Amino acid sequence: MLKFLLRRFAIMVLTALCLTLVVFFLTNLPPNLEKLAKSEVGSRITDEAVASWLMKNGYDRPLLVRYGEWLGVAPGWTREDEGVTTGRCIAHGQDPATAPRFCGVLQGDWGYSSFFKAPVAQKLGYHLGLTGILMFWVMVLMVPAALLIGVLAGMREGSKLDRSLSTFSIASTATPEYVSGVILIAVFASSMFGLKWFKGTASGAMDDITFDNFFLPVLTIALYGIGYIARMTRASMTEVMTAQYIRTARLKGVSFGKVVTRHALRNALIAPFTVIMLQFPWLLNGVVIVETLFSYKGFGWTLVQAAGNNDIPLLLGCSVVAVFVVLVTQLISDVGYVFLNPRIRIS
Amino acid sequence: MDELSSGAILLAVIKRFLPVWIALIVTFAVSIRYKRRLGLYGRLFDSTIGMIGFALVMFWVFTALFSDLIVTRDVLSQISGMKNKVPGTPVPDGSGWYLFGGDHLGRDVFSRMVAGSRVVIEIAPLATLFAFMVGITLGLPAGYYGGKLDAGLSFLANLILAFPVILLFYLLVTPEIVETGLPQYIAIVLFLFPIIFLMVLVNSRYYVMPAFRTKVLTLIAVIGGYLYLSLVGEVGTRVAVLPNALDLIHVPGNILIVFVSVVFVNSPTVFRIVRGLTLDIKTRDYVSAAQTRGERPWYIMLWEILPNARGPLIVDFCLRIGYTTILLGTLGFFGLGLSPESPDWGSTINAGRKLLTIAPHPAIVPALALMSLVLGLNLLADGLREESLKD
């Protein structure tokens, strides 16, 4: 078990390094840097001015070295210019002697957002917190609903209940967030049907969460996930319901309800656990779409702003978070599956 | 002219779609008449779910095909008096109605929805097909040989799968990246796979008939190579191989990057599916029999294993076209790649969402269109799965 864990962990770290390097490469392409220089200095500067700005700010060195600096495994650059030493790790007006040698993500220095004019770590922390609240309510709504639908559909395969619930699951997986969100807003928040039950934007929810302004975004994200998890639960449930020990229990005279809740449910819920964990990366997509649609300033909104405004440090920070979430949930789902399933755990 | 009532709008829309109805009725009549001779496709007409799905999908395919006959107005022309007008509003000059209303620039929502189907139907199936070629060409040897090759390719696939799709789109589909020529370099690699796939397919089968094999291989190399160079290269960009006179296929840089990134995102999943199926099938007796006969590995992979994996692959193909449609919509929704003028559904939803609470129809119409197409593909996949499991 320990060896398995270590192996998985090593692969995870390697994957994270590869992915951040790719992101670093894609965000630091020459056109991006040129655009950055122009937005920092002025849009009408000459090519020489761009080159000299890039040199002054340490962007002219090889990509791998800069990646090492950003990560915090290579010492930050320093430059002597007319007796004034500037460097990556030297804050404005700081004495170069007291500045640390390394300053990267590993040291907790995520850089300075060029668009928001604030430290990336602080900015990300705030917006991630907002997304955390959103995700919490999504989970609260999505997981029980999906499991309930899946179990109800799977306990009697081929019944009318199964057919209608399965069709609902298919329909919900066929409706991406930007479609369901638009439809939900039009139906419940616009003048089209005159319902106006909820608000069409969640911008007020950042300070004060109410049912009015938060239910639609939560429902929109949850709907897309419900269908998929429910289908997996149903498949797992139908498989368990045909097992020998279920038939034995039924023949012994245990009631159908008891068989489902006591005998089948526990075994049927192992597979959906993995699926729910693997849904996180998809939820991340949903979060970006829904936060844009409902103008809720969470992590997804930050990512869109960073990408749209060529904010390289912030975009890198967002990618680290996204990659971290994806990889950790993968690890948990792998380990959790082994742990939950006694057939694998004991052998 | 008066404003149309909802019943009159419905009638007018049904009338506009007349060519589609005729084509649908002909397709269904012919298919049902000969369904016993048509294999898996024919058996689809035994399942209600499958038929509903197929009808929805074919509806949009025919709409894309006949879109020039169906549209009522020019897709881009704006009439200032028609901004955000409700469905059924007559045009000021009396030349007709805006059946589904006008959008925020005074363009006809109905015509844009119809024209948008063409963008989706052109890109989504082709991109999925390319993703399958890549996935199959890499997944078969990974599953068959195993070992280091499998470990390396699986690591790469997991790497791409661990990348959040939206982040990847935001990094790949930007004007800056198009400027560096990166999409064309990715295209150079990805578009090579269909040619490799076809050549290996032919070579492994007709290895014992060298004369015939060489003829077919040359043909594939010449035609495929020409299409390849024409598709990848573009005069005036970083990759310009063919001169302008010979370069017949002009793919604008932003469409190419959309295509490439969609293929790129889909291929690893296909790879994983093919690899899993190969691992399962290679333990079967007929594979051992072929090995004992002395067949070479690629023959076994392409002519013994692949045909026996077709059931799950066809089902996944349908689902994946739906997923690709969703991805294209996502790109449009974030205004990435496709031009904002483009009538594709994602971009129209993006344009319409800003006024959603006041005038919801410009966003609702393409949203429902996209949903019905994806739903159709999902139902079709479900029907195919049910029917292919019956034997």
Side-chain angles (χ1 to χ4, degrees), chain A residues 15 19 23 26-27 29 31 35 170-171 174 176 178-179 185-186 190-192 231 282 285 288 292 304 307 319 322 326, chain B residues 155 159 162-164 166-167 170-171 176-177 180 182 323 326 329-330 333-334 353 356-357 360 364 367 374-375 378 382:
Chain A
T15 313
L19 284 180
V23 176
L26 287 174
T27 46
L29 286 168
K35 207 167 139 194
I170 294 179
Y178 52 87
V179 169
I185 293 181
S190 81
S191 47
M192 189 163 132
R231 286 178 88 173
W282 297 112
N285 277 347
V288 180
T292 311
V304 172
S319 337
V326 172
Chain B
F155 179 75
L159 206 63
F163 226 111
I166 293 216
L167 184 63
Y170 259 112
L171 291 175
E176 285 87 39
I177 301 266
T180 59
L182 190 74
Y323 180 61
I326 292 181
T330 311
F333 180 78
F334 285 108
R353 74 183 164 90
L356 209 47
T357 42
I364 283 279
V374 181
L375 183 65
N378 277 285
D382 220 51

Side-chain angles (χ1 to χ4, degrees), chain B residues 285-306:
Chain B
D285 285 344
Y286 52 79
V287 174
S288 317
Q291 281 165 340
T292 323
R293 281 208 302 273
E295 301 285 6
R296 281 178 327 277
W298 277 103
Y299 178 83
I300 296 175
M301 283 183 237
L302 288 168
W303 294 96
E304 301 278 352
I305 294 176
L306 189 59

Side-chain angles (χ1 to χ4, degrees), chain B residues 150-228:
Chain B
D150 181 25
L153 286 174
S154 293
F155 179 75
L156 264 182
N158 287 337
L159 206 63
I160 301 173
L161 285 178
F163 226 111
V165 179
I166 293 216
L167 184 63
L168 192 71
F169 281 161
Y170 259 112
L171 291 175
L172 269 184
V173 192
T174 58
E176 285 87 39
I177 301 266
V178 176
E179 205 180 299
T180 59
L182 190 74
Q184 280 171 315
Y185 297 131
I186 304 178
I188 288 176
V189 179
L190 287 180
F191 291 0
L192 207 56
F193 280 100
I195 302 179
I196 297 178
F197 176 78
L198 283 178
M199 287 179 101
V200 177
L201 192 74
V202 170
N203 186 41
S204 58
R205 177 83 198 206
Y206 295 107
Y207 190 72
V208 285
M209 301 158 64
F212 178 71
R213 176 201 60 163
T214 316
K215 241 188 263 167
V216 177
L217 282 187
T218 329
L219 208 67
I220 294 176
V222 170
I223 299 178
Y226 171 72
L227 287 176
Y228 174 73

Side-chain angles (χ1 to χ4, degrees), chain A residues 273-285:
Chain A
F273 168 77
T274 337
V275 177
I276 292 172
M277 288 321 280
L278 290 179
Q279 275 287 307
F280 268 95
W282 297 112
L283 287 179
L284 212 64
N285 277 347

